[in-house]
Amino acid sequence: MDFKYVVVGGGIAGVTCVETLSLFCQEESILLISASPLVKAVMNFRQVSKTLEEFDVQEQPLTYLEAHCPNVKVVHAAVVNLDPEQNKVTTNDGVSYTYKKLCLCCGAKPKVIAKDNPYVLGIRDTESIEEFQKKLVDARRVVVVGNGGIATEIVYEIEGYEVIWAIKDPSISSTFVDPGAAEFFVPHLSMEKDPEKKPVKRVKYTTVEKEVAVTSPAGLSGDTLGGALGPDWSNGLLMTGKKRGMKNIHVEYNVEVKKIMLKEEFLKAGLTATGIDQRTDDASWPVYLELTNEKIYGCDIVVSATGVVPNTGICHKGGLFELADDGGMKVNDNMCTNIKDVYAAGDMCTANWEPAPHWLQMRLWTQARQMGHYVAKCMVANLNEEEISPDICFELFSHVTKFFGYKVVLLGKFNAQGYGKEYEILLRMTKGVEFIKVIMKDGRMCGAILIGDTDLEETFENLILNQMDLSAFGEELLDPNIDIGDYFD
């Protein structure tokens, strides 16, 4: 079967790429290959500012794309072979597809600390979240390992359980915020959530088992099923134990998991467990974790939220593709790999160009959508022998999310990444209301963290992009009595 464009992957990047191609090339044949029977569709998209975006992600059946984009064909299969010399991909059902342009959007897979342990669950997609809910029903204690966005949200969302949060850093949520911002969040570890907050109902689809030899988040051979979670993954999910309203969270800082033991192994070793209140614990837990600080905790469930690795899968075969140190496929500023006519986008790729001063790559749903949109434009432009410049989204890193019920906006080099000690910090904090941190270098704004409803994101975005000299303002730049948004309008 011949197609002008073939996209592998039903996650945010792949679906965005297909939708953009369909919009630009309404007369061309487009194929999406997805190993999952569900795709991730971006809904309720809102452009907050030049670079900031907000949207919901909904799971949709494969028929959604074909109905939504008439020139798109969707195949539920996994790619088992890629032949760039003949511009051909072959799926596990033996069918081959030729392409003019191919885009790989295979996402990433979680780094699970113990893959074969039935009590250790890696959180990455909707299926794993649903499995987590089932395991929570009879649970008393949960250990969360990891310090990124998903770990932070799980610790906040679940209640009615004892929770031990094991992190390798000296402060919580360090993937996104510095120790100062983390201190702003710490009091909320023990606070009850708003009782008026009700789950948001959303459309749910169930998957029907299909005999597929190998499946992955996006279509290449791998070991996980389902695209990455979107920004609203916790909406509508019940993660409340029998002791509703109870928040009993204990954080172990600067630790990693040394060993995981089932109950039988723990008892045979004659070890003593640590209680959450530091008293000796009993031996009634199905699984135990020994941490590098020598403490041993028993629990019912271990949540492994320790990050992801690019799901390059079959791309390793033959050594054709150039891979970055982080395992991602190297792409140039037009999202093209080192193989002619083969592109990559989203979590599986690594930007291999000189980045703009205030941009960095993080494997987030916002960048997956941006890359999916941009790579589609690059493929069309290349096929038409046209030049294309990088989108403005690659000029400034920007991301909006929510932690502990607060809106969190990250702009530019929000944690002074790469600046060493040659920068200044301006801070403004109102306990329980807002936290603002600004990175200044040579009198110019280079990054910012905004927590709470500050309404400063667009103003700060402009100040970072235009690099205005703000030396004359000094610390007054964050004076709460000055409406800087109006001043710089």
Side-chain angles (χ1 to χ4, degrees), residues 123-124 129 144-157 165 167 169 172-177 185 229-231 233-234 239 303 305-308 362-365 399 401-404 408 410:
I123 301 295
R124 173 64 181 170
I129 283 292
V144 178
V145 182
N147 204 17
I150 289 179
T152 299
E153 292 180 82
I154 286 177
V155 169
Y156 172 69
E157 290 293 339
W165 192 5
I167 62 177
D169 310 292
I172 65 172
S173 313
S174 64
T175 301
F176 294 95
V177 300
F185 288 133
L229 294 169
W233 67 269
S234 63
M239 291 186 278
V303 175
T306 51
V308 298
M362 293 183 72
R363 288 179 166 86
L364 304 166
W365 56 82
H399 183 61
T401 186
K402 185 170 284 190
F403 289 154
F404 298 98
V408 178
L410 308 175

mmCIF file of all heavy atoms in Angstrom, residues 123-124 129 144-157 165 167 169 172-177 185 229-231 233-234 239 303 305-308 362-365 399 401-404 408 410:
data_model
loop_
_atom_site.group_PDB
_atom_site.id
_atom_site.type_symbol
_atom_site.label_atom_id
_atom_site.label_comp_id
_atom_site.label_asym_id
_atom_site.label_seq_id
_atom_site.Cartn_x
_atom_site.Cartn_y
_atom_site.Cartn_z
ATOM 1 N N ILE A 123 3.955 4.008 36.263
ATOM 2 C CA ILE A 123 2.851 4.870 35.834
ATOM 3 C C ILE A 123 3.271 5.624 34.585
ATOM 4 O O ILE A 123 4.215 6.409 34.601
ATOM 5 C CB ILE A 123 2.463 5.871 36.939
ATOM 6 C CG1 ILE A 123 2.044 5.130 38.202
ATOM 7 C CG2 ILE A 123 1.349 6.783 36.453
ATOM 8 C CD1 ILE A 123 0.800 4.296 38.060
ATOM 9 N N ARG A 124 2.559 5.374 33.479
ATOM 10 C CA ARG A 124 2.884 6.052 32.234
ATOM 11 C C ARG A 124 1.644 6.338 31.401
ATOM 12 O O ARG A 124 1.502 7.393 30.817
ATOM 13 C CB ARG A 124 3.875 5.204 31.417
ATOM 14 C CG ARG A 124 4.162 5.715 30.012
ATOM 15 C CD ARG A 124 4.833 7.057 30.017
ATOM 16 N NE ARG A 124 5.089 7.536 28.661
ATOM 17 C CZ ARG A 124 5.487 8.750 28.376
ATOM 18 N NH1 ARG A 124 5.689 9.626 29.327
ATOM 19 N NH2 ARG A 124 5.705 9.118 27.126
ATOM 20 N N ILE A 129 -2.691 3.507 35.103
ATOM 21 C CA ILE A 129 -3.438 4.236 36.129
ATOM 22 C C ILE A 129 -4.652 3.424 36.580
ATOM 23 O O ILE A 129 -4.977 3.344 37.774
ATOM 24 C CB ILE A 129 -3.882 5.621 35.613
ATOM 25 C CG1 ILE A 129 -2.690 6.591 35.632
ATOM 26 C CG2 ILE A 129 -5.009 6.191 36.449
ATOM 27 C CD1 ILE A 129 -2.196 6.949 37.017
ATOM 28 N N VAL A 144 5.741 5.821 46.969
ATOM 29 C CA VAL A 144 5.921 6.474 45.675
ATOM 30 C C VAL A 144 7.406 6.773 45.509
ATOM 31 O O VAL A 144 8.003 7.462 46.339
ATOM 32 C CB VAL A 144 5.097 7.770 45.562
ATOM 33 C CG1 VAL A 144 5.345 8.446 44.220
ATOM 34 C CG2 VAL A 144 3.613 7.477 45.752
ATOM 35 N N VAL A 145 7.996 6.266 44.448
ATOM 36 C CA VAL A 145 9.417 6.485 44.167
ATOM 37 C C VAL A 145 9.532 7.370 42.936
ATOM 38 O O VAL A 145 9.035 7.026 41.864
ATOM 39 C CB VAL A 145 10.154 5.156 43.926
ATOM 40 C CG1 VAL A 145 11.638 5.417 43.688
ATOM 41 C CG2 VAL A 145 9.958 4.198 45.093
ATOM 42 N N GLY A 146 10.177 8.522 43.085
ATOM 43 C CA GLY A 146 10.313 9.456 41.968
ATOM 44 C C GLY A 146 9.987 10.863 42.416
ATOM 45 O O GLY A 146 9.320 11.066 43.441
ATOM 46 N N ASN A 147 10.439 11.849 41.638
ATOM 47 C CA ASN A 147 10.293 13.239 42.071
ATOM 48 C C ASN A 147 9.857 14.160 40.939
ATOM 49 O O ASN A 147 10.094 15.362 40.995
ATOM 50 C CB ASN A 147 11.621 13.734 42.668
ATOM 51 C CG ASN A 147 11.437 14.879 43.630
ATOM 52 O OD1 ASN A 147 10.333 15.133 44.112
ATOM 53 N ND2 ASN A 147 12.511 15.586 43.918
ATOM 54 N N GLY A 148 9.247 13.579 39.906
ATOM 55 C CA GLY A 148 8.788 14.390 38.784
ATOM 56 C C GLY A 148 7.327 14.775 38.900
ATOM 57 O O GLY A 148 6.729 14.737 39.980
ATOM 58 N N GLY A 149 6.737 15.110 37.754
ATOM 59 C CA GLY A 149 5.360 15.582 37.748
ATOM 60 C C GLY A 149 4.344 14.538 38.158
ATOM 61 O O GLY A 149 3.455 14.806 38.962
ATOM 62 N N ILE A 150 4.457 13.321 37.621
ATOM 63 C CA ILE A 150 3.489 12.277 37.944
ATOM 64 C C ILE A 150 3.584 11.890 39.411
ATOM 65 O O ILE A 150 2.563 11.721 40.094
ATOM 66 C CB ILE A 150 3.680 11.054 37.027
ATOM 67 C CG1 ILE A 150 3.217 11.401 35.607
ATOM 68 C CG2 ILE A 150 2.913 9.854 37.546
ATOM 69 C CD1 ILE A 150 3.378 10.289 34.607
ATOM 70 N N ALA A 151 4.806 11.750 39.930
ATOM 71 C CA ALA A 151 4.969 11.419 41.352
ATOM 72 C C ALA A 151 4.331 12.493 42.229
ATOM 73 O O ALA A 151 3.619 12.188 43.192
ATOM 74 C CB ALA A 151 6.458 11.275 41.691
ATOM 75 N N THR A 152 4.571 13.751 41.894
ATOM 76 C CA THR A 152 4.014 14.859 42.671
ATOM 77 C C THR A 152 2.496 14.828 42.665
ATOM 78 O O THR A 152 1.847 14.994 43.705
ATOM 79 C CB THR A 152 4.515 16.199 42.111
ATOM 80 O OG1 THR A 152 5.948 16.256 42.209
ATOM 81 C CG2 THR A 152 3.926 17.372 42.891
ATOM 82 N N GLU A 153 1.909 14.597 41.494
ATOM 83 C CA GLU A 153 0.448 14.598 41.389
ATOM 84 C C GLU A 153 -0.163 13.404 42.126
ATOM 85 O O GLU A 153 -1.222 13.531 42.740
ATOM 86 C CB GLU A 153 0.044 14.604 39.915
ATOM 87 C CG GLU A 153 0.383 15.907 39.212
ATOM 88 C CD GLU A 153 -0.024 15.892 37.753
ATOM 89 O OE1 GLU A 153 -1.213 16.144 37.469
ATOM 90 O OE2 GLU A 153 0.836 15.629 36.904
ATOM 91 N N ILE A 154 0.486 12.249 42.056
ATOM 92 C CA ILE A 154 -0.044 11.078 42.761
ATOM 93 C C ILE A 154 -0.035 11.317 44.266
ATOM 94 O O ILE A 154 -1.023 11.034 44.962
ATOM 95 C CB ILE A 154 0.775 9.825 42.409
ATOM 96 C CG1 ILE A 154 0.430 9.359 40.997
ATOM 97 C CG2 ILE A 154 0.509 8.691 43.404
ATOM 98 C CD1 ILE A 154 1.232 8.178 40.519
ATOM 99 N N VAL A 155 1.057 11.844 44.781
ATOM 100 C CA VAL A 155 1.150 12.116 46.217
ATOM 101 C C VAL A 155 0.049 13.078 46.648
ATOM 102 O O VAL A 155 -0.549 12.931 47.726
ATOM 103 C CB VAL A 155 2.539 12.685 46.579
ATOM 104 C CG1 VAL A 155 2.559 13.214 48.004
ATOM 105 C CG2 VAL A 155 3.607 11.600 46.418
ATOM 106 N N TYR A 156 -0.258 14.047 45.808
ATOM 107 C CA TYR A 156 -1.308 15.011 46.151
ATOM 108 C C TYR A 156 -2.698 14.402 46.032
ATOM 109 O O TYR A 156 -3.568 14.639 46.881
ATOM 110 C CB TYR A 156 -1.208 16.231 45.231
ATOM 111 C CG TYR A 156 -2.360 17.200 45.382
ATOM 112 C CD1 TYR A 156 -2.523 17.962 46.537
ATOM 113 C CD2 TYR A 156 -3.304 17.351 44.363
ATOM 114 C CE1 TYR A 156 -3.585 18.842 46.682
ATOM 115 C CE2 TYR A 156 -4.372 18.233 44.497
ATOM 116 C CZ TYR A 156 -4.503 18.971 45.645
ATOM 117 O OH TYR A 156 -5.565 19.852 45.789
ATOM 118 N N GLU A 157 -2.916 13.598 44.998
ATOM 119 C CA GLU A 157 -4.265 13.123 44.699
ATOM 120 C C GLU A 157 -4.738 12.012 45.632
ATOM 121 O O GLU A 157 -5.913 11.988 46.022
ATOM 122 C CB GLU A 157 -4.340 12.629 43.244
ATOM 123 C CG GLU A 157 -4.254 13.737 42.203
ATOM 124 C CD GLU A 157 -5.460 14.660 42.223
ATOM 125 O OE1 GLU A 157 -6.521 14.256 42.727
ATOM 126 O OE2 GLU A 157 -5.324 15.792 41.730
ATOM 127 N N TRP A 165 7.016 8.840 50.411
ATOM 128 C CA TRP A 165 7.514 9.411 49.164
ATOM 129 C C TRP A 165 9.032 9.375 49.210
ATOM 130 O O TRP A 165 9.661 10.104 49.979
ATOM 131 C CB TRP A 165 6.998 10.829 49.001
ATOM 132 C CG TRP A 165 7.213 11.432 47.642
ATOM 133 C CD1 TRP A 165 7.726 10.829 46.541
ATOM 134 C CD2 TRP A 165 6.888 12.773 47.249
ATOM 135 N NE1 TRP A 165 7.753 11.696 45.473
ATOM 136 C CE2 TRP A 165 7.247 12.896 45.878
ATOM 137 C CE3 TRP A 165 6.333 13.868 47.904
ATOM 138 C CZ2 TRP A 165 7.076 14.090 45.171
ATOM 139 C CZ3 TRP A 165 6.157 15.054 47.204
ATOM 140 C CH2 TRP A 165 6.521 15.164 45.851
ATOM 141 N N ILE A 167 12.490 10.135 47.477
ATOM 142 C CA ILE A 167 13.048 10.962 46.410
ATOM 143 C C ILE A 167 14.566 11.036 46.543
ATOM 144 O O ILE A 167 15.110 10.959 47.637
ATOM 145 C CB ILE A 167 12.442 12.384 46.418
ATOM 146 C CG1 ILE A 167 12.756 13.104 47.725
ATOM 147 C CG2 ILE A 167 10.936 12.321 46.201
ATOM 148 C CD1 ILE A 167 12.250 14.540 47.765
ATOM 149 N N ASP A 169 16.414 13.573 45.820
ATOM 150 C CA ASP A 169 16.835 14.973 45.921
ATOM 151 C C ASP A 169 16.577 15.520 47.318
ATOM 152 O O ASP A 169 15.826 14.931 48.102
ATOM 153 C CB ASP A 169 16.084 15.812 44.886
ATOM 154 C CG ASP A 169 16.156 15.199 43.494
ATOM 155 O OD1 ASP A 169 17.259 15.183 42.930
ATOM 156 O OD2 ASP A 169 15.113 14.738 43.003
ATOM 157 N N ILE A 172 11.267 18.341 47.279
ATOM 158 C CA ILE A 172 10.240 17.690 46.461
ATOM 159 C C ILE A 172 10.096 18.379 45.107
ATOM 160 O O ILE A 172 10.436 19.548 44.938
ATOM 161 C CB ILE A 172 8.886 17.662 47.192
ATOM 162 C CG1 ILE A 172 8.334 19.082 47.407
ATOM 163 C CG2 ILE A 172 8.988 16.921 48.513
ATOM 164 C CD1 ILE A 172 6.923 19.113 47.942
ATOM 165 N N SER A 173 9.593 17.614 44.139
ATOM 166 C CA SER A 173 9.244 18.136 42.805
ATOM 167 C C SER A 173 10.405 18.822 42.114
ATOM 168 O O SER A 173 10.215 19.772 41.347
ATOM 169 C CB SER A 173 8.045 19.097 42.912
ATOM 170 O OG SER A 173 7.018 18.552 43.698
ATOM 171 N N SER A 174 11.625 18.326 42.334
ATOM 172 C CA SER A 174 12.810 19.036 41.846
ATOM 173 C C SER A 174 12.961 19.002 40.332
ATOM 174 O O SER A 174 13.742 19.778 39.774
ATOM 175 C CB SER A 174 14.072 18.463 42.496
ATOM 176 O OG SER A 174 14.251 17.109 42.118
ATOM 177 N N THR A 175 12.241 18.117 39.635
ATOM 178 C CA THR A 175 12.293 18.120 38.178
ATOM 179 C C THR A 175 11.801 19.448 37.631
ATOM 180 O O THR A 175 12.256 19.915 36.589
ATOM 181 C CB THR A 175 11.438 16.976 37.599
ATOM 182 O OG1 THR A 175 11.920 15.736 38.094
ATOM 183 C CG2 THR A 175 11.495 16.961 36.078
ATOM 184 N N PHE A 176 10.883 20.085 38.373
ATOM 185 C CA PHE A 176 10.271 21.312 37.888
ATOM 186 C C PHE A 176 10.599 22.542 38.730
ATOM 187 O O PHE A 176 10.718 23.643 38.188
ATOM 188 C CB PHE A 176 8.745 21.139 37.826
ATOM 189 C CG PHE A 176 8.293 20.138 36.817
ATOM 190 C CD1 PHE A 176 8.048 18.825 37.170
ATOM 191 C CD2 PHE A 176 8.128 20.490 35.493
ATOM 192 C CE1 PHE A 176 7.646 17.890 36.240
ATOM 193 C CE2 PHE A 176 7.726 19.571 34.543
ATOM 194 C CZ PHE A 176 7.480 18.256 34.916
ATOM 195 N N VAL A 177 10.703 22.388 40.028
ATOM 196 C CA VAL A 177 10.872 23.572 40.867
ATOM 197 C C VAL A 177 12.093 23.452 41.763
ATOM 198 O O VAL A 177 12.558 22.346 42.065
ATOM 199 C CB VAL A 177 9.614 23.836 41.738
ATOM 200 C CG1 VAL A 177 8.401 24.059 40.853
ATOM 201 C CG2 VAL A 177 9.359 22.675 42.704
ATOM 202 N N PHE A 185 5.238 24.407 48.609
ATOM 203 C CA PHE A 185 4.303 23.297 48.490
ATOM 204 C C PHE A 185 4.257 22.401 49.726
ATOM 205 O O PHE A 185 3.243 21.736 49.966
ATOM 206 C CB PHE A 185 4.661 22.428 47.282
ATOM 207 C CG PHE A 185 4.377 23.052 45.960
ATOM 208 C CD1 PHE A 185 5.336 23.027 44.945
ATOM 209 C CD2 PHE A 185 3.163 23.656 45.697
ATOM 210 C CE1 PHE A 185 5.078 23.594 43.711
ATOM 211 C CE2 PHE A 185 2.892 24.235 44.469
ATOM 212 C CZ PHE A 185 3.855 24.194 43.467
ATOM 213 N N LEU A 229 0.334 9.862 29.449
ATOM 214 C CA LEU A 229 -0.754 10.582 30.117
ATOM 215 C C LEU A 229 -0.751 12.044 29.694
ATOM 216 O O LEU A 229 0.302 12.633 29.457
ATOM 217 C CB LEU A 229 -0.573 10.500 31.635
ATOM 218 C CG LEU A 229 -0.704 9.102 32.246
ATOM 219 C CD1 LEU A 229 -0.228 9.132 33.688
ATOM 220 C CD2 LEU A 229 -2.136 8.617 32.167
ATOM 221 N N GLY A 230 -1.942 12.630 29.626
ATOM 222 C CA GLY A 230 -2.051 14.046 29.297
ATOM 223 C C GLY A 230 -2.114 14.897 30.543
ATOM 224 O O GLY A 230 -1.999 14.410 31.668
ATOM 225 N N PRO A 231 -2.318 16.206 30.384
ATOM 226 C CA PRO A 231 -2.297 17.114 31.524
ATOM 227 C C PRO A 231 -3.440 16.933 32.510
ATOM 228 O O PRO A 231 -3.343 17.382 33.645
ATOM 229 C CB PRO A 231 -2.362 18.500 30.865
ATOM 230 C CG PRO A 231 -2.959 18.255 29.517
ATOM 231 C CD PRO A 231 -2.495 16.907 29.105
ATOM 232 N N TRP A 233 -4.764 13.916 33.487
ATOM 233 C CA TRP A 233 -4.885 12.475 33.685
ATOM 234 C C TRP A 233 -5.598 12.092 34.972
ATOM 235 O O TRP A 233 -6.237 11.058 35.069
ATOM 236 C CB TRP A 233 -3.505 11.823 33.652
ATOM 237 C CG TRP A 233 -2.605 12.191 34.800
ATOM 238 C CD1 TRP A 233 -1.720 13.213 34.848
ATOM 239 C CD2 TRP A 233 -2.513 11.534 36.067
ATOM 240 N NE1 TRP A 233 -1.075 13.246 36.060
ATOM 241 C CE2 TRP A 233 -1.539 12.225 36.829
ATOM 242 C CE3 TRP A 233 -3.143 10.431 36.638
ATOM 243 C CZ2 TRP A 233 -1.203 11.844 38.129
ATOM 244 C CZ3 TRP A 233 -2.804 10.061 37.928
ATOM 245 C CH2 TRP A 233 -1.844 10.758 38.658
ATOM 246 N N SER A 234 -5.518 12.924 36.019
ATOM 247 C CA SER A 234 -6.099 12.551 37.308
ATOM 248 C C SER A 234 -7.572 12.927 37.436
ATOM 249 O O SER A 234 -8.235 12.514 38.383
ATOM 250 C CB SER A 234 -5.309 13.216 38.448
ATOM 251 O OG SER A 234 -5.403 14.629 38.365
ATOM 252 N N MET A 239 -9.043 8.033 43.820
ATOM 253 C CA MET A 239 -7.845 7.540 44.494
ATOM 254 C C MET A 239 -7.954 7.836 45.985
ATOM 255 O O MET A 239 -7.077 8.444 46.589
ATOM 256 C CB MET A 239 -6.589 8.157 43.879
ATOM 257 C CG MET A 239 -6.306 7.666 42.474
ATOM 258 S SD MET A 239 -4.743 8.248 41.771
ATOM 259 C CE MET A 239 -5.222 9.870 41.214
ATOM 260 N N VAL A 303 4.783 2.553 43.700
ATOM 261 C CA VAL A 303 4.592 3.295 42.455
ATOM 262 C C VAL A 303 5.952 3.761 41.957
ATOM 263 O O VAL A 303 6.644 4.512 42.639
ATOM 264 C CB VAL A 303 3.665 4.510 42.656
ATOM 265 C CG1 VAL A 303 3.578 5.326 41.369
ATOM 266 C CG2 VAL A 303 2.275 4.057 43.084
ATOM 267 N N ALA A 305 7.702 6.020 39.592
ATOM 268 C CA ALA A 305 7.520 7.199 38.733
ATOM 269 C C ALA A 305 8.861 7.900 38.597
ATOM 270 O O ALA A 305 9.037 9.051 38.977
ATOM 271 C CB ALA A 305 6.464 8.135 39.328
ATOM 272 N N THR A 306 9.819 7.162 38.072
ATOM 273 C CA THR A 306 11.210 7.624 38.047
ATOM 274 C C THR A 306 11.656 8.084 36.666
ATOM 275 O O THR A 306 12.829 7.982 36.312
ATOM 276 C CB THR A 306 12.141 6.497 38.539
ATOM 277 O OG1 THR A 306 11.845 5.291 37.820
ATOM 278 C CG2 THR A 306 11.942 6.239 40.015
ATOM 279 N N GLY A 307 10.726 8.586 35.880
ATOM 280 C CA GLY A 307 11.090 9.114 34.578
ATOM 281 C C GLY A 307 10.891 8.120 33.452
ATOM 282 O O GLY A 307 10.411 6.999 33.643
ATOM 283 N N VAL A 308 11.266 8.548 32.257
ATOM 284 C CA VAL A 308 11.051 7.736 31.058
ATOM 285 C C VAL A 308 12.319 7.692 30.213
ATOM 286 O O VAL A 308 13.230 8.507 30.382
ATOM 287 C CB VAL A 308 9.894 8.299 30.201
ATOM 288 C CG1 VAL A 308 8.588 8.270 30.971
ATOM 289 C CG2 VAL A 308 10.203 9.735 29.743
ATOM 290 N N MET A 362 12.326 19.116 27.272
ATOM 291 C CA MET A 362 11.857 18.264 28.350
ATOM 292 C C MET A 362 10.752 17.400 27.756
ATOM 293 O O MET A 362 9.957 17.878 26.938
ATOM 294 C CB MET A 362 11.321 19.082 29.535
ATOM 295 C CG MET A 362 12.384 19.876 30.267
ATOM 296 S SD MET A 362 11.743 20.761 31.716
ATOM 297 C CE MET A 362 11.457 19.401 32.863
ATOM 298 N N ARG A 363 10.702 16.153 28.136
ATOM 299 C CA ARG A 363 9.728 15.243 27.533
ATOM 300 C C ARG A 363 8.371 15.421 28.205
ATOM 301 O O ARG A 363 7.998 14.690 29.110
ATOM 302 C CB ARG A 363 10.253 13.808 27.597
ATOM 303 C CG ARG A 363 11.395 13.617 26.612
ATOM 304 C CD ARG A 363 12.016 12.257 26.600
ATOM 305 N NE ARG A 363 12.844 12.099 25.405
ATOM 306 C CZ ARG A 363 14.116 12.472 25.292
ATOM 307 N NH1 ARG A 363 14.721 13.002 26.344
ATOM 308 N NH2 ARG A 363 14.776 12.313 24.159
ATOM 309 N N LEU A 364 7.638 16.427 27.719
ATOM 310 C CA LEU A 364 6.353 16.846 28.271
ATOM 311 C C LEU A 364 5.299 16.810 27.176
ATOM 312 O O LEU A 364 5.619 16.896 25.982
ATOM 313 C CB LEU A 364 6.448 18.259 28.854
ATOM 314 C CG LEU A 364 7.536 18.477 29.917
ATOM 315 C CD1 LEU A 364 7.745 19.967 30.145
ATOM 316 C CD2 LEU A 364 7.141 17.787 31.215
ATOM 317 N N TRP A 365 4.027 16.720 27.588
ATOM 318 C CA TRP A 365 2.946 16.647 26.594
ATOM 319 C C TRP A 365 2.881 17.919 25.753
ATOM 320 O O TRP A 365 2.514 17.883 24.594
ATOM 321 C CB TRP A 365 1.607 16.367 27.277
ATOM 322 C CG TRP A 365 1.229 17.344 28.354
ATOM 323 C CD1 TRP A 365 0.651 18.571 28.184
ATOM 324 C CD2 TRP A 365 1.408 17.190 29.759
ATOM 325 N NE1 TRP A 365 0.464 19.188 29.391
ATOM 326 C CE2 TRP A 365 0.908 18.368 30.378
ATOM 327 C CE3 TRP A 365 1.918 16.179 30.555
ATOM 328 C CZ2 TRP A 365 0.924 18.544 31.758
ATOM 329 C CZ3 TRP A 365 1.939 16.363 31.926
ATOM 330 C CH2 TRP A 365 1.443 17.527 32.517
ATOM 331 N N HIS A 399 5.778 26.014 29.800
ATOM 332 C CA HIS A 399 4.962 24.863 30.206
ATOM 333 C C HIS A 399 4.036 25.303 31.330
ATOM 334 O O HIS A 399 4.442 26.042 32.233
ATOM 335 C CB HIS A 399 5.856 23.725 30.698
ATOM 336 C CG HIS A 399 5.112 22.482 31.077
ATOM 337 N ND1 HIS A 399 4.350 21.765 30.183
ATOM 338 C CD2 HIS A 399 5.014 21.815 32.264
ATOM 339 C CE1 HIS A 399 3.816 20.709 30.787
ATOM 340 N NE2 HIS A 399 4.200 20.722 32.050
ATOM 341 N N THR A 401 1.235 23.687 34.142
ATOM 342 C CA THR A 401 0.711 22.479 34.752
ATOM 343 C C THR A 401 0.067 22.854 36.078
ATOM 344 O O THR A 401 -0.156 24.036 36.361
ATOM 345 C CB THR A 401 1.836 21.434 34.943
ATOM 346 O OG1 THR A 401 1.271 20.214 35.414
ATOM 347 C CG2 THR A 401 2.904 21.919 35.906
ATOM 348 N N LYS A 402 -0.222 21.861 36.908
ATOM 349 C CA LYS A 402 -0.841 22.128 38.202
ATOM 350 C C LYS A 402 -0.266 21.176 39.234
ATOM 351 O O LYS A 402 -0.228 19.958 39.028
ATOM 352 C CB LYS A 402 -2.360 21.961 38.124
ATOM 353 C CG LYS A 402 -3.096 22.348 39.406
ATOM 354 C CD LYS A 402 -4.601 22.390 39.199
ATOM 355 C CE LYS A 402 -5.018 23.630 38.440
ATOM 356 N NZ LYS A 402 -6.491 23.801 38.426
ATOM 357 N N PHE A 403 0.237 21.719 40.345
ATOM 358 C CA PHE A 403 0.743 20.940 41.466
ATOM 359 C C PHE A 403 0.023 21.371 42.737
ATOM 360 O O PHE A 403 -0.110 22.571 42.994
ATOM 361 C CB PHE A 403 2.246 21.140 41.659
ATOM 362 C CG PHE A 403 3.107 20.516 40.592
ATOM 363 C CD1 PHE A 403 4.355 21.024 40.303
ATOM 364 C CD2 PHE A 403 2.667 19.416 39.875
ATOM 365 C CE1 PHE A 403 5.158 20.454 39.335
ATOM 366 C CE2 PHE A 403 3.456 18.835 38.894
ATOM 367 C CZ PHE A 403 4.706 19.362 38.625
ATOM 368 N N PHE A 404 -0.425 20.400 43.512
ATOM 369 C CA PHE A 404 -1.076 20.669 44.800
ATOM 370 C C PHE A 404 -2.221 21.685 44.650
ATOM 371 O O PHE A 404 -2.476 22.488 45.545
ATOM 372 C CB PHE A 404 -0.054 21.163 45.826
ATOM 373 C CG PHE A 404 1.015 20.165 46.136
ATOM 374 C CD1 PHE A 404 2.247 20.240 45.508
ATOM 375 C CD2 PHE A 404 0.795 19.126 47.024
ATOM 376 C CE1 PHE A 404 3.243 19.301 45.767
ATOM 377 C CE2 PHE A 404 1.788 18.191 47.304
ATOM 378 C CZ PHE A 404 3.014 18.281 46.668
ATOM 379 N N VAL A 408 0.925 26.219 37.852
ATOM 380 C CA VAL A 408 2.379 26.366 37.803
ATOM 381 C C VAL A 408 2.781 26.672 36.361
ATOM 382 O O VAL A 408 2.467 25.906 35.448
ATOM 383 C CB VAL A 408 3.100 25.092 38.290
ATOM 384 C CG1 VAL A 408 4.621 25.265 38.178
ATOM 385 C CG2 VAL A 408 2.707 24.767 39.723
ATOM 386 N N LEU A 410 6.100 27.581 33.920
ATOM 387 C CA LEU A 410 7.557 27.573 33.806
ATOM 388 C C LEU A 410 7.939 28.247 32.494
ATOM 389 O O LEU A 410 7.393 27.905 31.437
ATOM 390 C CB LEU A 410 8.089 26.142 33.820
ATOM 391 C CG LEU A 410 7.623 25.246 34.977
ATOM 392 C CD1 LEU A 410 8.132 23.829 34.783
ATOM 393 C CD2 LEU A 410 8.089 25.804 36.312
#
